[in-house]
Amino acid sequence: MDLTGVFVPLITPFDAHGDVAVDALIRLAYETLEDGATGLVALGTTAEPGSLTPAEQDAVVDAIGRVCEERGAPMIVGAGRAAATRRPVAAALVMVPPFVRAGEAGVEAYFARLAADSAVPLIVYHIPYRTGQQLSPPALRRIAQLPNIAGIKYATGRVDADTLALLASAPTGFSVLAGDDVVLAPLLAMGAHGGILASAHLSTHRYARLVAAWRDGDVPTARELGLPLAHLSHMVFAEPNPTVVKGVLHAQGRIPTPDVRLPLLPAAPSNVDAVLALLD
C-alpha cells in the first residue's frame, strides 16, 4: 500500500448543545480534500475519541467515510473502530500499547497478532512520550516487515540517528509518516513519505505543496515552505491538541463552536488570535 502525502486527522466538531456536529464534520472533510489532502483520519487522537460514545464514534467514521468514498480518497481509522464501519477503510491506526511498557518483544508480538487478525492493513502509531515505550530501529524494522503492516506514524518528538536508521532501512511498501508536525520538513528531507498532521486542518494546500516539493526534488520550494509551516505547527500546539485548531476553525466560521470535552479546556483567545494573524 502506498500511503504518501498529507493525511488530516479530523477534529470532532460539537454544536451548541454539545452534540457531534455531523454536517460541519462533512463540510470540513470536503474542504481539506479539496485543499490538497491525500486522505483523512477518522478517530485519531485529534478527534478526542476517548470522550465520544460508541454511537458518536460510528457517526464520525460514517460521515468521513462517506466523503472519502465519494472523492476516492483513503480513510484511515483509529480508536479500534475500523471494523465497525461499512465504508471502505484503507488502514487502521493503532498505537503502541501505552502505560504497560511491554518491552520490544511484547510490542512486536502484539502487532503480529493484530495484523494477522485485521481485515485491513495497520499503521503503527509510535509516540513514546505518551506511551512510555521507546522502540529501537531494529525493533521497528522487524515490525515493519510483518505482513499487513502498512506504515508508521512516527512521533518520537525528535529527529536523530534512530530516525535516520528507520528511514534508511524501511522495507519497500512501508510508509513512514511524520506524526510531530513541527519536524515534518526535516523528516521529508530524510525520506519520509508524508505525515498525519493536525496542523494541516489549516493551510492544507501549503502542507500538501511541501510534501510534493520534497517528493519532486524541488528543494527551493521545500525550503521556502518548511520554516513557516514549522512555525505554524509550533503555535498550533501551544496548548493541548486539538484546542487551538478548534479555536481557529471556529473563528474562521468552519465549525459551530470551539468546544472540546473534558479533560480538555478551550484554547486561550490569545493563542487562537496568534495563529489567525500568522495565517493572514
Side-chain angles (χ1 to χ4, degrees), residues 12-22 24 246 255-261:
T12 302
F14 300 119
D15 63 23
H17 303 289
D19 298 322
V20 175
V22 174
K246 280 191 161 185
I255 59 175
T257 74
D259 295 349
V260 290
R261 288 181 177 171

Side-chain angles (χ1 to χ4, degrees), residues 15-30:
D15 63 23
H17 303 289
D19 298 322
V20 175
V22 174
D23 289 345
L25 177 60
I26 291 172
R27 288 195 302 272
L28 194 61
Y30 280 123

Side-chain angles (χ1 to χ4, degrees), residues 1-279:
M1 172 179 291
D2 180 22
L3 293 170
T4 301
V6 172
F7 296 84
V8 180
L10 289 181
I11 57 100
T12 302
F14 300 119
D15 63 23
H17 303 289
D19 298 322
V20 175
V22 174
D23 289 345
L25 177 60
I26 291 172
R27 288 195 302 272
L28 194 61
Y30 280 123
E31 289 169 1
T32 50
L33 290 177
E34 289 168 358
D35 214 16
T38 300
L40 303 175
V41 181
L43 299 181
T45 50
T46 304
E48 304 170 74
S51 72
L52 304 177
T53 67
E56 288 175 329
Q57 291 183 356
D58 291 342
V60 166
V61 174
D62 185 70
I64 295 172
R66 189 189 329 164
V67 175
C68 286
E69 189 173 4
E70 180 183 318
R71 294 301 171 91
M75 177 177 67
I76 300 167
V77 178
R81 305 300 290 184
T85 178
R86 290 172 290 183
R87 303 289 180 183
V89 176
L93 182 63
V94 182
M95 188 181 292
V96 170
F99 189 75
V100 294
R101 295 185 180 180
E104 291 187 343
V107 173
E108 290 174 41
Y110 173 76
F111 279 107
R113 172 67 63 84
L114 285 183
D117 293 343
S118 177
V120 299
L122 305 185
I123 298 172
V124 176
Y125 187 4
H126 184 36
I127 182 165
Y129 53 87
R130 292 197 180 189
T131 64
Q133 174 73 70
Q134 183 64 259
L135 298 173
S136 67
L140 290 172
R141 192 178 308 117
R142 290 191 295 270
I143 292 171
Q145 291 169 343
L146 291 170
N148 213 29
I149 299 289
I152 185 169
K153 180 180 178 182
Y154 191 74
T156 63
R158 60 181 186 268
V159 178
D160 55 12
D162 285 356
T163 309
L164 183 59
L166 171 64
L167 288 164
S169 62
T172 302
F174 180 83
S175 297
V176 178
L177 301 171
D180 287 310
D181 302 28
V182 73
V183 294
L184 171 64
L187 281 174
L188 292 170
M190 296 168 71
H193 299 78
I196 297 177
L197 309 164
S199 303
H201 282 84
L202 315 172
S203 200
T204 311
H205 67 287
R206 294 172 70 202
Y207 284 95
R209 283 182 59 211
L210 176 61
V211 173
W214 279 117
R215 184 187 62 228
D216 297 339
D218 185 356
V219 177
T221 297
R223 287 178 172 170
E224 179 184 350
L225 290 167
L227 182 59
L229 287 180
H231 186 42
L232 173 61
S233 297
H234 178 72
M235 295 172 70
V236 163
F237 284 88
E239 296 188 53
N241 187 46
T243 60
V244 176
V245 170
K246 280 191 161 185
V248 174
L249 291 174
H250 173 61
Q252 293 175 328
R254 297 171 67 187
I255 59 175
T257 74
D259 295 349
V260 290
R261 288 181 177 171
L262 291 171
L264 298 176
L265 295 173
S270 58
N271 286 324
V272 173
D273 290 344
V275 174
L276 289 167
L278 183 63
L279 291 171

